Amino acid sequence: TTTDYEEFGNVIRAIAKISSRVDTLPLLKQALQSGSKTIRLDACNALVEYRGVPGAGDLLSPYLNDPDKDIRQCASQTLAIIGSGQNQTLNQLLLAAENETDPNLFYDEMRSASELGGKAALLPTLIHVLAGNNPKIRAEAAGILSQYVGIDGAVEALIPPVTDEDTDVRTAAATSLQQFGPSASAAVPALETAAGNETDRFAFQAQAEALALIAGPAAAFPYIQKAIQSGNADVRVGAATALEKCKGAPGAIDLLITLVHDGDWRVVGSAIGSIGYYGDEGKKAVPVLISLFGTPDHQVDAAMALGQLGPAAVEAVPALVTMFQSTDEITRQYPIVSLGKIGPAAHAAVPALMEFLNHIPQGNWTQTLLNDTTEALHGITQEDFGTDIQKWNAWWALKMNGW
């Protein structure tokens, strides 16, 4: 009779201790039918402790199809805990998932079912909903399949959604296929078809990256070139981003250098970011990255990309030093961090870093700049004095004359 959920929970637990959990089932059944959502949820949550209690799972099963999504979610999660090994419960969860309209609840139901029966048992349900009419559920199903690497039939299940009419479904399918790597070779023709006709930025990026990871960078590169030449600015942004996966493809770094001069600032930013993944190949792009210093829109991106290149960006050390000496507190942390990532090859930056260490401006960024500067010094010198300026100065007094 209570409408107070705390009192309800206390009473249920008290009866269970005095008598048994079985004796509380009629009360929980009544509570699940209550007009109070709070009481219903409390009854559902109370059943988490009823694993192995006969009838507990049967009590919850009808609520997998409850009109209230919170009740459905609670029922699926609780059943996964108390219904382990029960085929009936697994089938009920899968049936509920096939009829689910909320993508978040669909994910919860599939996760609960996976805990009961394993991933392979769920594949027919995923295939079924991928052929359904709800694009949000299709996208969620395609995303779930990223966790099915090594499960027979998972790659084949992802091939149809690669060319789905819905953008989110196409993106999710291609993104999931990336996780399979070369074992997803059967999906290459579908990915090539999709990439050759794509008009969405994120879908194209996912498709091109999937091709690169499955069939190699050279397989993706022609589709990226075609996208770059298209008049679709959004797809060109996705193509520039996808180039980060094309290291080793002939002409890839040259295309990125060209894109740094693109008229769309988004394409430029994506190209700069991709250059950072090219390591020694990226050395060719160092001059063009340096040329961006002083441009408000891209100088930070350029500094970060140079740091990602590591020792290959040694040519940029003088420019990075000039940048951190002449910019504001927020901006200067990026060239400082990049100098540390270049490592011992940035030997020539140590005097300027030591000078800066002893004159860090006081303000909101003081601690950040102290941390970044000492970490950069550690990366270059391999010495480690933490953020202790006195110890760094003592070390520098011994080294500076012969530096």
Side-chain angles (χ1 to χ4, degrees):
T1 57
T2 182
T3 57
D4 184 284
Y5 74 95
E6 290 185 357
E7 183 179 35
F8 171 82
N10 290 334
V11 171
I12 290 294
R13 283 185 285 273
I15 294 173
K17 286 182 178 180
I18 295 169
S19 180
S20 70
R21 286 194 173 99
V22 172
D23 291 334
T24 66
L25 290 179
L27 295 174
L28 289 167
K29 180 178 180 179
Q30 183 178 351
L32 286 166
Q33 298 169 350
S34 168
S36 167
K37 178 177 176 177
T38 303
I39 294 294
R40 296 178 73 205
L41 284 172
D42 202 54
C44 179
N45 287 319
L47 283 162
V48 169
E49 302 175 8
Y50 282 60
R51 183 170 185 170
V53 176
D58 294 335
L59 204 62
L60 273 175
S61 295
Y63 296 96
L64 290 171
N65 297 304
D66 195 271
D68 189 301
K69 68 177 184 179
D70 293 330
I71 301 296
R72 294 200 304 275
Q73 183 178 43
C74 182
S76 68
Q77 292 173 343
T78 302
L79 276 169
I81 295 170
I82 69 173
S84 181
Q86 296 181 13
N87 289 331
Q88 181 181 359
T89 301
L90 174 61
N91 292 333
Q92 289 169 334
L93 279 168
L94 293 177
L95 181 61
E98 288 185 1
N99 295 297
E100 186 55 71
T101 57
D102 184 291
N104 293 325
L105 288 187
F106 174 78
Y107 178 86
D108 287 339
E109 288 158 359
M110 295 302 289
R111 182 180 60 185
S112 297
S114 177
E115 292 172 1
L116 286 175
K119 292 177 180 177
L122 278 58
L123 195 56
T125 297
L126 290 168
I127 293 172
H128 175 80
V129 300
L130 280 169
N133 296 321
N134 188 326
K136 292 183 178 179
I137 298 296
R138 295 202 307 275
E140 193 66 44
I144 288 172
L145 282 166
S146 68
Q147 305 167 31
Y148 280 55
V149 176
I151 303 295
D152 288 343
V155 170
E156 290 72 16
L158 279 167
I159 292 174
V162 166
T163 54
D164 193 276
E165 64 182 21
D166 184 83
T167 299
D168 292 337
V169 178
R170 295 196 302 275
T171 304
T175 301
S176 289
L177 283 166
Q178 294 173 25
Q179 304 304 313
F180 291 78
S183 67
S185 58
V188 168
L191 286 167
E192 290 175 336
T193 298
N197 296 286
E198 190 54 70
T199 58
D200 178 79
R201 166 188 173 179
F202 297 106
F204 177 82
Q205 179 184 334
Q207 292 153 6
E209 291 181 354
L211 281 170
L213 293 169
I214 295 168
F221 192 58
Y223 295 94
I224 291 174
Q225 285 180 304
K226 178 183 176 182
I228 292 296
Q229 294 166 1
S230 76
N232 187 323
D234 284 340
V235 171
R236 288 167 58 236
V237 175
T241 305
L243 278 167
E244 72 180 41
K245 298 291 194 300
C246 288
K247 179 183 177 182
I253 191 64
D254 296 308
L255 180 56
L256 281 168
I257 291 171
T258 300
L259 291 176
V260 170
H261 301 292
D262 194 90
D264 189 310
W265 66 270
R266 299 172 303 162
V267 175
V268 175
S270 296
I272 294 169
S274 291
I275 289 171
Y277 289 86
Y278 277 65
D280 288 342
E281 289 182 41
K283 184 177 181 179
K284 193 174 185 179
V286 170
V288 75
L289 292 176
I290 294 173
S291 73
L292 295 171
F293 288 4
T295 60
D297 289 339
H298 299 299
Q299 64 177 350
V300 167
D301 291 338
M304 292 171 65
L306 288 164
Q308 281 185 277
L309 290 174
V314 63
E315 179 187 347
V317 169
L320 287 167
V321 169
T322 300
M323 182 179 177
F324 87 70
Q325 288 176 328
S326 61
T327 52
D328 59 84
E329 285 85 350
I330 298 175
T331 303
R332 61 169 42 118
Q333 63 180 306
Y334 297 100
I336 290 173
V337 169
S338 289
L339 286 166
K341 290 181 177 180
I342 292 172
H347 183 89
V350 171
L353 287 168
M354 285 302 305
E355 175 68 19
F356 182 71
L357 180 63
N358 286 285
H359 297 90
I360 293 177
Q362 296 300 304
N364 294 334
W365 291 89
T366 300
Q367 189 62 48
T368 298
L369 291 171
L370 173 61
N371 293 341
D372 290 343
T373 304
T374 52
E375 187 62 30
L377 285 166
H378 168 63
I380 297 168
T381 67
Q382 306 301 298
E383 301 289 348
D384 191 0
F385 303 115
T387 56
D388 191 323
I389 296 177
Q390 288 186 335
K391 289 184 178 180
W392 278 108
N393 282 330
W395 167 82
W396 186 235
L398 297 173
K399 299 288 185 178
M400 63 186 298
N401 289 334
W403 199 261

